[in-house]
Amino acid sequence: MTPALTARKDTRGFSTRAVHEGSEPDQATNAVIQPISLSTTFKQDAVGVHKGYEYARSGNPNRDSLERLLASLEAGGSEAIAFSSGSATTSTIIQSLGPQAHVVSVSDVYGGTFRYMTRVATANQGVTTTFVDLEHASEDEIADSIRDDTKLIWIESPTNPTLKLIDITRISQIAHSHPANPLVLVDNTFLSPYWSSPLVLGADVVIHSLTKYVNGHSDVIMGAAILPPHQTELAQKLRFLQNAIGAVPSPHDCWLAQRGAKTLQLRMKTHGQNALALARYLERSPYVKEVIYPGLKSHPRYALARHNLSPHARKFVETLGDADENGGIPFGGMISFRIRGDDLAGERFLTKTKLFTLAESLGGVESLAELPAKMTHATIPAAERKALGIGPDLVRLSVGIEDSEDLIEDVQQALEFAVDMADIAVPVKATAPVHQEAHHQAIQGLAGALAA
């Protein structure tokens, strides 16, 4: 087993690393693309003498290559551990805390993480979790939530599905100045290593569902944890637990994820530009009550979104021109919005879209849409969903890399159908786009302004 260590400062650009790190030509054949190593066991030259591999659960060439790449792409990372799923990553990290530990978690957390914390870790480890609104809580409130036995602070930013934006630097400073000194973990799935670099902002661990943006093609289930140089001991513990539990990905999945990650920068730029264009349209639509996209200049946490940009994303955003004229900046490909109409308007919208596929998950090249209250977050108790603002009017969009004008037109026709069917008076917004030719020109003008 070869740890994915990055000892030197890599000054190459993001896409250069994505294409080349861990992708050296095969030594046996000089094949440019690394072969898939399916062997479960490896020949030893003498007892205990081998080339770094003994048994595939403990290590595999494809997994090592992917882990090298992930450690390189996540700014501030030195070691990456690839898991069989995002959920396996979550469970292994929480198991590493030991029995009777306490966790502070952002309140608006992914439904699967909430389920594991409250129904699995509590029953099996005696782990207790305090859910806190880390976006709005004061410094004293956050500090008061940390106990002597608090081992971990769990952050998603943006959160799923209401896209709350957490000040990672602020939370890290509070945590690390507390006597308990809990680890700060950030689930960076929604932004990927391209848009945000939580380790640079002060986090101790970053995790991803590689299923989403890193792989990017909706054909792999995987997860990963990336750690900075000062967390070597934790990395060794996680590797031991992973091997003991068996939460390892297949060589084929590692190969696919590495292939997908090669185009991460190209895809994330397009996801972000399309999402900004669509968010601006939704902001003007009379069929929409609220648009949640932190990249919009009108978003209350817009300044924090800009602060949280990774160094490479900030460099890209600066090439796009005046953010005031563009209405904001690209900031990932996820949008949530609240639709007008009755309680079934969201469901009608989702059955009427043609390019946005009604499906769970996110981060693929294709656009997806879902109703969190009845899909990804259905396992959260109704009262808690209501408190979090996850109601029947909340629609989550994963904006793909299709042409932005086509996506906007698809959303427009579905909104008109869904809200008109509710037979309610639709308010006319002063900034609402007009239909037909003028609307088409507005879309093309916006798309042109955002073009890379």
Side-chain angles (χ1 to χ4, degrees), residues 280-281 283-286 428-434:
R280 290 196 66 189
Y281 162 74
E283 195 173 35
R284 293 172 170 84
S285 172
V428 177
K429 294 187 180 181
T431 55
V434 296

Side-chain angles (χ1 to χ4, degrees), residues 105-315:
S105 171
V106 64
S107 54
D108 185 13
V109 73
Y110 165 57
T113 303
F114 178 89
R115 180 174 59 242
Y116 190 87
M117 288 176 173
T118 59
R119 299 179 62 182
V120 180
T122 298
N124 292 351
Q125 292 177 245
V127 170
T128 57
T129 303
T130 300
F131 294 94
V132 179
D133 182 354
L134 295 178
E135 183 181 54
H136 297 109
S138 68
E139 182 173 338
D140 287 342
E141 288 171 331
I142 296 170
D144 289 345
S145 71
I146 302 174
R147 309 186 324 207
D148 291 341
D149 58 349
T150 302
K151 300 289 184 66
L152 178 67
I153 296 182
W154 190 285
I155 297 173
E156 287 180 17
S157 186
T159 62
N160 183 6
T162 60
L163 304 185
K164 292 179 180 178
L165 201 60
I166 312 303
D167 189 337
I168 297 168
T169 301
R170 172 175 174 254
I171 302 299
S172 298
Q173 290 172 346
I174 295 171
H176 295 151
S177 63
H178 193 281
N181 193 28
L183 294 167
V184 175
L185 176 148
V186 176
D187 185 337
N188 199 28
T189 296
F190 268 31
L191 290 178
S192 87
Y194 179 73
W195 286 111
S196 182
S197 303
L199 296 178
V200 175
L201 297 174
D204 299 296
V205 186
V206 168
I207 67 168
H208 293 275
S209 172
L210 300 182
T211 307
K212 313 305 193 295
Y213 285 113
V214 172
N215 177 63
H217 293 80
S218 300
D219 53 10
V220 164
I221 299 289
M222 278 187 69
I226 300 96
L227 300 92
H230 66 276
Q231 292 295 343
T232 301
E233 184 176 344
L234 175 59
Q236 292 173 346
K237 187 173 186 178
L238 292 177
R239 285 196 183 277
F240 171 81
L241 288 172
Q242 178 191 43
N243 189 49
I245 296 166
V248 298
S250 75
H252 187 221
D253 284 352
C254 291
W255 186 91
L256 285 172
Q258 185 169 6
R259 172 222 58 184
K262 290 176 186 291
T263 59
L264 182 60
Q265 176 172 282
L266 296 174
R267 290 184 286 106
M268 294 311 296
K269 286 181 177 180
T270 305
H271 284 300
Q273 290 175 296
N274 282 353
L276 177 59
L278 181 54
R280 290 196 66 189
Y281 162 74
L282 290 169
E283 195 173 35
R284 293 172 170 84
S285 172
Y287 301 105
V288 173
K289 293 186 287 187
E290 180 187 12
V291 184
I292 309 172
Y293 184 70
L296 282 173
K297 195 171 187 302
S298 59
H299 191 280
R301 306 282 274 181
Y302 171 72
L304 180 60
R306 294 199 69 126
H307 171 76
N308 282 357
L309 285 172
S310 67
H312 32 271
R314 182 174 292 109
K315 183 178 179 181

Side-chain angles (χ1 to χ4, degrees), residues 340-389:
R340 293 191 184 275
D342 57 25
D343 284 350
L344 296 177
E347 294 187 45
R348 286 195 297 270
F349 168 84
L350 291 166
T351 59
K352 191 64 175 177
T353 55
K354 299 173 182 177
L355 297 179
F356 280 87
T357 301
L358 174 56
E360 296 190 2
S361 197
L362 58 107
V365 293
E366 68 289 326
S367 293
L368 302 177
E370 64 119 1
L371 197 74
K374 291 190 176 181
M375 296 173 68
T376 53
H377 290 67
T379 59
I380 296 178
E384 296 184 42
R385 285 201 309 270
K386 184 177 180 181
L388 292 169

